[in-house]
Amino acid sequence: MMPRSAFDLRLPEPLIASTVAGALAEDLGLAGDVTTDAVIAPEAIASGVFAARKPGIVAGLQVAAATFRHLDPEVRFDVLVPDGGTVEPGKIIARVSGNARALLTAERVALNFLGRLSGIATLTRRYVDAVAGTRAQIVDTRKTTPGLRAFEKYAVRAGGGMNHRIGLFDAVLIKDNHIAVAGGVGPAVAAARARVGHMVKIEVEVDTLDQLSEALQHRIDAVLLDNMTPDQLAEAVRIVAGRAITEASGGVNLDTVRAIAEAGVDLISVGALTHSATVLDIGLDIEVGTMA
Amino acid sequence: MMPRSAFDLRLPEPLIASTVAGALAEDLGLAGDVTTDAVIAPEAIASGVFAARKPGIVAGLQVAAATFRHLDPEVRFDVLVPDGGTVEPGKIIARVSGNARALLTAERVALNFLGRLSGIATLTRRYVDAVAGTRAQIVDTRKTTPGLRAFEKYAVRAGGGMNHRIGLFDAVLIKDNHIAVAGGVGPAVAAARARVGHMVKIEVEVDTLDQLSEALQHRIDAVLLDNMTPDQLAEAVRIVAGRAITEASGGVNLDTVRAIAEAGVDLISVGALTHSATVLDIGLDIEVGTMA
Amino acid sequence: MMPRSAFDLRLPEPLIASTVAGALAEDLGLAGDVTTDAVIAPEAIASGVFAARKPGIVAGLQVAAATFRHLDPEVRFDVLVPDGGTVEPGKIIARVSGNARALLTAERVALNFLGRLSGIATLTRRYVDAVAGTRAQIVDTRKTTPGLRAFEKYAVRAGGGMNHRIGLFDAVLIKDNHIAVAGGVGPAVAAARARVGHMVKIEVEVDTLDQLSEALQHRIDAVLLDNMTPDQLAEAVRIVAGRAITEASGGVNLDTVRAIAEAGVDLISVGALTHSATVLDIGLDIEVGTMA
Amino acid sequence: MMPRSAFDLRLPEPLIASTVAGALAEDLGLAGDVTTDAVIAPEAIASGVFAARKPGIVAGLQVAAATFRHLDPEVRFDVLVPDGGTVEPGKIIARVSGNARALLTAERVALNFLGRLSGIATLTRRYVDAVAGTRAQIVDTRKTTPGLRAFEKYAVRAGGGMNHRIGLFDAVLIKDNHIAVAGGVGPAVAAARARVGHMVKIEVEVDTLDQLSEALQHRIDAVLLDNMTPDQLAEAVRIVAGRAITEASGGVNLDTVRAIAEAGVDLISVGALTHSATVLDIGLDIEVGTMA
Amino acid sequence: MMPRSAFDLRLPEPLIASTVAGALAEDLGLAGDVTTDAVIAPEAIASGVFAARKPGIVAGLQVAAATFRHLDPEVRFDVLVPDGGTVEPGKIIARVSGNARALLTAERVALNFLGRLSGIATLTRRYVDAVAGTRAQIVDTRKTTPGLRAFEKYAVRAGGGMNHRIGLFDAVLIKDNHIAVAGGVGPAVAAARARVGHMVKIEVEVDTLDQLSEALQHRIDAVLLDNMTPDQLAEAVRIVAGRAITEASGGVNLDTVRAIAEAGVDLISVGALTHSATVLDIGLDIEVGTMA
Amino acid sequence: MMPRSAFDLRLPEPLIASTVAGALAEDLGLAGDVTTDAVIAPEAIASGVFAARKPGIVAGLQVAAATFRHLDPEVRFDVLVPDGGTVEPGKIIARVSGNARALLTAERVALNFLGRLSGIATLTRRYVDAVAGTRAQIVDTRKTTPGLRAFEKYAVRAGGGMNHRIGLFDAVLIKDNHIAVAGGVGPAVAAARARVGHMVKIEVEVDTLDQLSEALQHRIDAVLLDNMTPDQLAEAVRIVAGRAITEASGGVNLDTVRAIAEAGVDLISVGALTHSATVLDIGLDIEVGTMA
């Protein structure tokens, strides 16, 4: 039996390529890296070392490597600590070597990807560790940075979390407005069931135990228990009794997540994983050869 | 004489349009919002209220409005607190009304933009307030989210900060590697000066006062004083004596920024503005009409 | 309780817009409609009638309308028989009126969309009708035209079918190769379960009843019964006993589908819906005003 | 003198690249092939064999190869039966080998291209064979799948057919509406002649022999004889007497095409080649190595 | 009978839209028009007058109008001298009014299009006038600015010229290399004839009268007489005797074009129309309202 | 100390790649190079020589090489005279060899880039030579071809000129309209200064010496002296006295530029460099192997 390594679900290479191209275009504009081009000879070579400056979890090395290679396919990128690995300050994560202009020009964009994704992985791991020993898994939300959803959901996996639905298109999540307009949970679930395919799961958001009981009268795959106290959650889990996946949401932070997990829910969704992670401080020290 | 309002420098509408289109495509995929389309009638209408849940500075309303209008150009969006305005919890920021499907489907993407940009504006304002009364301006860096640089730099302006260079292309910033390869500050500045146009400014990064003295022997527009103590910065400002713009960088946080500012520098650049801002919590309450 | 109308799941408007733009660019090239521009005055107006020439089911009117409006937003398009409606030869489906050049230039592209999607809806309806009264639903596959998957899956819904997974990304389908490499169904399911989120369903493809029994020992959402006879399928349904959704696949055509359905499976997936539908013959008669 | 091999007119590689990229993006979404990534080790290798399951004509191998290589440029693709070649059931068309994930992930998209284009080539060949020994050539129309016109016209060539104009931009085809608005064939031809360049041919559509006679009074390159009986066509060919290329159109199917050809026309245009071809059944059997 | 007005063949609107969007993005970058946004109030209005500063022919007003409207769809653009019209210094060509920021920001891009296209139209007209009274038409070449071929060929039509083939795809032009490789004109023409459709014309380039005689033994639509003297051209026209369109090319300038035309050729192709036209000097005077 | 070689500021490779792709797509359309594909065998090889036919300065070899390699990455391209080098008629600039179809198909697009950019470099060099020995540098403007600004500004550098601002976004240029609306130079400069960052330079356009004096009372980086006589310019330079960079503009041509330079200005901006350069005549002679 293989160990769980959720981040085996890699980012599609074509998606990396187009996102990296956009990020470099943003930084290069029409004129490119005028400082480096003015000072560094085209044929100069260089090498660099990525090292952690803070403890955390690494994520995004595949993207960082692609950034350098977009400017020069010959750049060599050697990974020492793979995505999902733990680092302490000073730990060398990867080495990069090749054309000096490519290294200096891509440096900031590569670090922007790597620091941001590692920051998400690091925060995710803190939540995952906080619920260790419970049955609860930490899952993300759609509260991601526009344009980077696939990347940020990958980083959550690298940190040991799991992914909620990708977007509006791959699963049904019936919320208060849908229920109100449909005239109750039943009609809302029926409306969805009649329209979506058999591979699409349906989850219903409930705010109260009464709503929960009503929801469970219909065939649903998961129930989102919104803004409940640990005691309410425990009662909800008892009511559900395995008939649906239970997800806690709302008011989750590192202080509250353990108690929520101990209420026995299957999942805890945490918007903060992606909307409030800060960058993991990773440095890149580059050494260059001769002048232009 | 008009009051300073740096965020008058708006985001170009075509840039907003393409970024919003990408963000919605990411969330809609090929199948769209299957929940809403299954439950909400095509002709249903709705209205919603954006309200702050935490104190902060608003930024991104133009982008949020464009998100709804991308799905339905008839959506009405009324701003009550404009970008740059201060909000307290409960304060209503904007109202939106129109087609219910458009409102429910665009809700999360609009909030992702608005929360993130307002988070940056809010953090920026904290730094700006921290240096109030000094000559120092707070400026951003290139440590931005890939794909959103223009948006995040706009948010910094909305928070009262100023922008450093946009990318690698619009200004010269000579760093240690460039100096080492060129054989000194002088040759590096000369190499840049010989190649870039008269509208491009040149800034040099120095780590020591000796380097500073050397740098000042050449015609430079600004000097980046990296990782210096307030005492060193004060000495540096004295040495520069108005011959260049002085920028402090490195080790800047809300605890240290005041002392740095009081050293007399013109600018303090803060990577955290964009790489470590968390989202400002803004909610959108939507009320919908009849069912599909 | 609302009637089932699966095609309420509309195509996202932005997706229609970009696909229509691509289709028109393909037909217009750099020079546009040289015939029409040479002969028809810019200000001439025209009107047209879409009429069925064969019996069938309509799908794609939203796309056809968008095609004309891409060339002139003022074009009026009135639907008489909505998507999903049945038509007999001579039946008027829609009327279009507006700028004559826009109508003549967009005519073929609009018909290419409409005829193709209506052809899929029509073929789907024949399969749906063939299994009427059984519990079986007709579902599509990933055997779609490159670039038009969302459109073709929409047409399947318009014909009364349901959609299988959209692509490789929104559901797990474990096939023979995956099972062989994993060392059995169990390890393969475990590997998937450990990596995908709680909103992702898992289906396993089996060729024999022995494989089926093994598969059922694991927590799976659906089972694809590949290339089985109706007798084998009936036995399989008995074995499954409601523990998973049952899907028949392989060797399905209009001659065999009824017997397969009567075996009691939940779903029958039919590649032919999209890979072997022929166009539904729909004509557009346009009348124009004065010459250029 | 070289043998006719019309499919020497290859598809431009850049066009293949962008179309393949779009097709894979459609299937991979943001999350990629979750099944394969969860189960198959990144370093596993595999090989596969493309074999015909029905008799037909092959087309699209260049595109299929590009699909695999888009995911991994190292994939090897060996062609045994080139485009335009005839296959019987069981005949091996090509072999592919390389990274196992790349093979499994690209499989369906590659087959979607190959089956569809081979289906068009196969149907085209049936028409071409049906008119063997006559002077008539089989040509396509603009009734193609949006987004795939170049590919489908290539497939027609692979099947032995010839291409009509590519789009609205590269040739003039004057139809009834143009004639009506212009006040007759003469003014319509004159209007076109005055505006298009010397490399653009002009064809006129006529429904009757009277219209034909009128059309021939003007300098036209080709005449489209619409919906005429074989007798009318023969009379039309006699009237034209070599002054223009003669093209028959309308009511063409495999039952009628021979008689139409024997009427002596130069060309028979057949919308069905592209709008009513079904996929040629081609299978891909892949064998994989070790697990993730 | 209608007057010749070749520029009735308009530019496709979608092509204008995408090209204008690209041109504005190039000028606006990520930060937009920082000068105008800093100084001009968002609600300020303005109006402007396009006036010729040199005599010439106007082309590109549709593109100029689209440039302003891309920034603000409400901008009003009134044409006084349409494309193809003649202007003298001081002549007012068009008026524009609307949002002041939109006018000031789009001004340069609109003028860049208008000046360049009018420059081509103006130079074309000089060649057209130079051959007035002869049978020769002036045609363009593929020596156009990358990215602007459709626009520049439109400008040639506006100046009274005609268009040669659009690109490599819509007509056959057999040159010396093709002939050499094919082993003569005959095999080259046969190779092309066997592969291209009936709507594609074939032209052969010849350098000598001997080559011309050989070429005429094959069924060709046009012959390009390269680098011949007027006397040789006259002899060539005599030899052709109406069996093909005759096109002179090479060594054409305003001093030589009349003699070439008088040799009796049908067409004279002039690379200079697009590769050596200079801008027509057109000014835009804008008046603005109040400050930001 | 290194020699000045302003064109060391290369074009970003990703920008070259996308522009070349667009240019080839424009020429290839959906059908590709039908002539070459019909006549030249896929495996044929060829070689070619780029030679100048007129004297001038070369620019664009990196782009020309990329054009061939876009069609076949194996194409070899050897530079004999690098960008910025001077050529006389007959001088060999570069050699290209590889797949014959790739060479013949890319030929015209490569030459369109190379001829146009070399034309700009050549004209720039004439202006640069005309002011030799003075302090004046020749700079470009925003009067560039839409879509090619980066390329044309690169060509100006190759010719020995320098670049003005790239677009509207990287520098402030306050013109008459801005001054009028702001109520004077002072308020306009203040408005800009309050909004743009410290790395953005501010230039003010003045028409008279009075305006100049007013402008100099504010902290500006450069002053654009518009349409002044050499005498006025000399007086302006005297007034400025080194407090700002002085730029002359308006009425500049090869007859007037020397006198303007001798007035002592730092810069002379010349719109003609990009809006009125004609192509440098460069030929490519290709020799091919065997037939298809």
Side-chain angles (χ1 to χ4, degrees), chain C residues 46-240:
Chain C
S47 62
V49 170
F50 286 90
R53 291 176 179 160
K54 300 276 180 180
I57 307 297
V58 177
L61 288 167
Q62 190 187 4
V63 189
T67 305
F68 293 103
R69 287 183 182 138
H70 190 75
L71 293 186
D72 186 342
E74 304 299 313
V75 166
R76 179 170 176 171
F77 193 95
D78 296 309
V79 173
L80 279 76
V81 180
D83 280 8
T86 303
V87 290
E88 296 301 318
K91 179 75 179 181
I92 294 179
I93 299 168
R95 296 183 197 280
V96 60
S97 59
N99 179 272
R101 286 185 174 186
L103 263 61
L104 290 169
T105 298
E107 173 184 8
R108 174 46 43 211
V109 172
L111 284 171
N112 284 350
F113 277 114
L114 188 60
R116 191 162 301 264
L117 298 183
S118 298
I120 290 172
T122 300
L123 182 58
T124 301
R125 181 64 58 87
R126 292 183 66 193
Y127 277 91
V128 169
D129 287 347
V131 302
T134 71
R135 65 175 290 114
Q137 284 188 319
I138 300 299
V139 301
D140 55 28
T141 66
R142 286 170 48 244
K143 297 178 181 177
T144 56
T145 309
L148 296 182
R149 182 164 294 170
F151 295 80
E152 296 189 344
K153 284 187 167 266
Y154 169 84
V156 167
R157 294 197 302 272
M162 296 293 281
N163 294 151
H164 210 297
R165 60 175 177 168
I166 309 171
L168 294 164
F169 54 88
D170 60 324
V172 170
L173 181 44
I174 296 173
K175 299 191 178 180
D176 51 357
N177 261 310
H178 302 113
I179 294 169
V181 171
V185 171
V189 171
R193 192 65 80 193
R195 287 165 175 84
V196 301
H198 69 288
M199 296 304 276
V200 178
K201 288 198 177 177
I202 296 180
E203 182 164 8
V204 175
E205 178 181 315
V206 299
D207 296 323
T208 68
L209 298 180
D210 282 354
Q211 284 182 317
L212 174 61
S213 297
E214 188 194 346
L216 289 169
Q217 291 166 21
H218 307 280
R219 187 161 52 92
I220 60 177
D221 297 290
V223 62
L224 190 157
L225 306 161
D226 196 37
N227 276 317
M228 294 190 181
T229 64
D231 284 352
Q232 289 172 310
L233 288 169
E235 175 66 6
V237 169
R238 199 192 55 75
I239 292 171
V240 171

Side-chain angles (χ1 to χ4, degrees), chain C residues 19 22-23 25-41 104-109 112-113 116 142-150 152 165-175 177-183 187-189 191-192 195-196 200 274-279 285-292, chain D residues 19 22-23 25-41 104-109 112-113 116 142-150 152 165-175 177-183 187-189 191-192 195-196 200 274-279 285-292:
Chain C
T19 306
E26 188 183 56
D27 206 22
L28 290 173
L30 299 181
D33 182 351
V34 293
T35 311
T36 295
D37 284 359
V39 177
I40 309 292
L104 290 169
T105 298
E107 173 184 8
R108 174 46 43 211
V109 172
N112 284 350
F113 277 114
R116 191 162 301 264
R142 286 170 48 244
K143 297 178 181 177
T144 56
T145 309
L148 296 182
R149 182 164 294 170
E152 296 189 344
R165 60 175 177 168
I166 309 171
L168 294 164
F169 54 88
D170 60 324
V172 170
L173 181 44
I174 296 173
K175 299 191 178 180
N177 261 310
H178 302 113
I179 294 169
V181 171
V189 171
R195 287 165 175 84
V196 301
V200 178
T274 50
H275 74 50
S276 294
T278 56
V279 82
D285 286 315
I286 296 180
E287 287 202 25
V288 191
T290 52
M291 187 178 175
Chain D
T19 306
E26 187 184 56
D27 206 21
L28 290 172
L30 299 182
D33 182 351
V34 293
T35 310
T36 294
D37 284 359
V39 177
I40 308 292
L104 289 169
T105 298
E107 174 184 7
R108 174 48 42 212
V109 172
N112 283 351
F113 277 115
R116 192 163 299 265
R142 285 170 48 244
K143 298 177 180 179
T144 57
T145 310
L148 296 181
R149 182 164 294 170
E152 295 188 346
R165 60 176 177 167
I166 309 171
L168 293 164
F169 54 88
D170 60 322
V172 170
L173 180 45
I174 296 172
K175 299 190 178 180
N177 261 309
H178 302 113
I179 293 170
V181 171
V189 170
R195 286 163 176 85
V196 300
V200 178
T274 50
H275 74 50
S276 294
T278 57
V279 81
D285 287 315
I286 296 180
E287 287 202 25
V288 190
T290 51
M291 186 178 175

Side-chain angles (χ1 to χ4, degrees), chain E residues 57 112 114-127 143-145 152 155-156 254 270-281, chain F residues 116 120 123 145 152 272-280:
Chain E
I57 308 296
N112 283 350
L114 189 59
R116 191 163 301 265
L117 298 182
S118 298
I120 290 172
T122 300
L123 183 57
T124 301
R125 181 65 58 88
R126 294 182 65 194
Y127 277 90
K143 297 178 182 178
T144 57
T145 309
E152 296 188 345
V156 166
L254 283 166
V270 187
L273 300 186
T274 50
H275 75 49
S276 294
T278 56
V279 82
L280 178 65
D281 193 357
Chain F
R116 191 163 300 265
I120 290 171
L123 182 58
T145 310
E152 296 188 346
L273 299 187
T274 50
H275 74 49
S276 294
T278 57
V279 82
L280 178 66

Side-chain angles (χ1 to χ4, degrees), chain E residues 6 35 39 42 55 60 72 76 84 88 97 118 126 128 135-136 147 152-153 157 171 181 195 200 224 237 245 283:
Chain E
T35 310
V39 177
D72 186 341
R76 177 167 178 174
E88 295 302 318
S97 59
S118 298
R126 294 182 65 194
V128 169
R135 65 175 289 115
E152 296 188 345
K153 285 187 168 265
R157 295 197 300 273
V181 172
R195 286 164 175 85
V200 178
L224 191 157
V237 170
I245 297 168

Side-chain angles (χ1 to χ4, degrees), chain C residues 223-281:
Chain C
V223 62
L224 190 157
L225 306 161
D226 196 37
N227 276 317
M228 294 190 181
T229 64
D231 284 352
Q232 289 172 310
L233 288 169
E235 175 66 6
V237 169
R238 199 192 55 75
I239 292 171
V240 171
R243 286 175 289 172
I245 297 169
T246 51
E247 173 186 352
S249 173
V252 185
N253 56 49
L254 283 167
D255 294 330
T256 63
V257 71
R258 179 83 202 175
I260 292 169
E262 290 177 344
V265 294
D266 297 310
L267 305 165
I268 304 172
S269 59
V270 188
L273 300 187
T274 50
H275 74 50
S276 294
T278 56
V279 82
L280 177 66
D281 193 357

Side-chain angles (χ1 to χ4, degrees), chain B residues 110-140:
Chain B
L111 284 172
N112 284 350
F113 277 115
L114 189 60
R116 192 162 300 265
L117 298 182
S118 298
I120 291 172
T122 300
L123 182 57
T124 301
R125 180 65 58 88
R126 293 182 66 194
Y127 278 92
V128 169
D129 288 346
V131 302
T134 72
R135 65 174 292 114
Q137 284 187 320
I138 300 298
V139 301
D140 55 28

